[in-house]
Amino acid sequence: MNISFESKRILVTGAGQGIGRELALRLSKYNGTVIALSKTKSNLETLKQQNPRIQTIVVDVTDWEATRNAIKTILPIHMLVNNAGVACLAPFLQLTESQFDLTMNVNVKSVFNISQVVAENMIEQKCAGSIVNVSSQASHAALKDHSVYCASKGAVDMLTKTMALELGPHNIRVNSVNPTVVMTAMGKLGWEDPKKARSMLEKIPLGRFAEVDEVIDAIVYLLSDRSSMINGITLPIDGGFLAT
Ligand code: NAP
């Protein structure tokens, strides 16, 4: 794919590590202005050392007002990737209220909050936009010890569809990507144990987990004009897991 995001301002949340960090680095190759948002300052400092052209912004997305104010300082944004996420894994009967609230605040409420500010400005500026939410295969399939994570990603998928419905008439497309396990810090949390990994790998027809670049390729495609008629989809990147 020949991609150019020249003159575009692109915001990636959760860009301190994992998928978001690699995504920010990849997007910086397409000539746009990349803004990397995350919670831990030191992660963004090392990202900036890796590529000084990437702008960074430190904010905890669970803080509604601080997040809104931070986003307002970097408008306009033409492309947004809502990638920040947490996974609190526990048996359903043991999951605590604080784990529930943290998961919903980061994985769902922040997507709502940040997208609202960004999309409102896109509409004011009368500019087309593309928003990609990083969901998960866990939005469609129940995974043991993942009750609140699955619920949060189910909510992300419906938010994706409702945003696509309401923002489409303003020429703002909204889609989600739904990866299987990727061996980031989060992936290792749930699937580093070989026994658990095997049980998941056996259900993936391609017989392996996803690579970070395979998720990034799909996000870049959905951000770009190459997907100009695609709006409201939840795209599995799962080697066929959800097909079985
Ligand atoms: P990760 O390596 O744990 O990175 C998560 C990123 O989100 C970090 O940069 C973290 O910030 C940021 N973040 C978390 N809480 C935040 C908060 N309150 N405010 C601001 N930023 C916050 O996870 P990942 O594997 O790259 O996951 C990225 C996305 O992919 C998530 O939405 C996840 O649910 C989804 N996903 C992951 C997998 C997988 O197996 N890895 C599979 C499907 C979907 P810091 O750098 O400051 O810690």
Side-chain angles (χ1 to χ4, degrees):
M1 264 191 304
N2 194 7
I3 300 282
S4 171
F5 292 150
E6 201 167 349
S7 78
K8 302 291 184 201
R9 291 173 59 77
I10 313 160
L11 172 61
V12 180
T13 73
Q17 55 181 318
I19 296 167
R21 184 185 181 100
E22 294 306 316
L23 175 64
L25 289 166
R26 169 82 81 85
L27 288 169
S28 69
K29 294 182 178 163
Y30 302 137
N31 300 323
T33 301
V34 178
I35 301 149
L37 180 154
S38 217
K39 179 167 57 83
T40 308
K41 196 174 171 203
S42 55
N43 288 343
L44 290 176
E45 282 169 353
T46 58
L47 176 64
K48 186 98 187 151
Q49 280 160 12
Q50 229 176 318
N51 185 338
R53 283 194 301 118
I54 295 177
Q55 296 178 16
T56 58
I57 183 158
V58 182
V59 69
D60 181 339
V61 298
T62 63
D63 185 331
W64 179 272
E65 276 309 321
T67 302
R68 280 185 104 78
N69 291 336
I71 301 296
K72 282 176 190 165
T73 66
I74 54 165
L75 295 172
I77 295 294
H78 307 103
M79 296 173 180
L80 164 65
V81 183
N82 286 306
N83 165 81
V86 292
C88 295
L89 308 185
F92 169 72
L93 292 175
Q94 287 161 29
L95 194 93
T96 64
E97 183 185 14
S98 65
Q99 287 174 315
F100 182 93
D101 288 345
L102 175 68
T103 307
M104 287 300 183
N105 281 337
V106 178
N107 295 9
V108 187
K109 201 170 163 186
S110 84
V111 175
F112 187 90
N113 191 22
I114 294 167
S115 303
Q116 226 179 24
V117 179
V118 166
E120 198 170 45
N121 180 261
M122 285 172 176
I123 293 166
E124 274 167 21
Q125 305 278 322
K126 296 191 175 20
C127 69
S130 179
I131 298 175
V132 177
N133 297 327
V134 182
S135 182
S136 168
Q137 68 178 13
S139 69
H140 283 64
L143 305 175
K144 195 164 173 293
D145 297 339
H146 282 66
S147 57
V148 72
Y149 184 77
C150 287
S152 73
K153 294 302 188 180
V156 168
D157 282 4
M158 278 316 292
L159 194 51
T160 299
K161 292 180 191 188
T162 49
M163 285 165 62
L165 177 70
E166 293 195 29
L167 299 178
H170 301 282
N171 212 5
I172 301 166
R173 297 183 296 111
V174 187
N175 294 291
S176 77
V177 291
N178 297 56
T180 184
V181 177
V182 186
M183 272 303 165
T184 59
M186 183 189 289
K188 286 181 184 152
L189 196 70
W191 307 101
E192 201 171 26
D193 170 15
K195 222 170 111 191
K196 279 191 192 165
R198 203 163 41 249
S199 71
M200 174 57 75
L201 286 167
E202 281 167 358
K203 295 182 197 152
I204 300 175
L206 289 185
R208 62 179 180 83
F209 294 147
E211 299 296 333
V212 170
D213 269 337
E214 292 172 320
V215 180
I216 291 175
D217 284 339
I219 295 172
V220 169
Y221 169 68
L222 290 172
L223 286 176
S224 79
D225 286 345
R226 295 299 174 108
S227 60
S228 51
M229 194 55 186
I230 298 180
N231 188 30
I233 64 157
T234 54
L235 178 65
I237 306 166
D238 67 346
F241 171 82
L242 291 170
T244 62

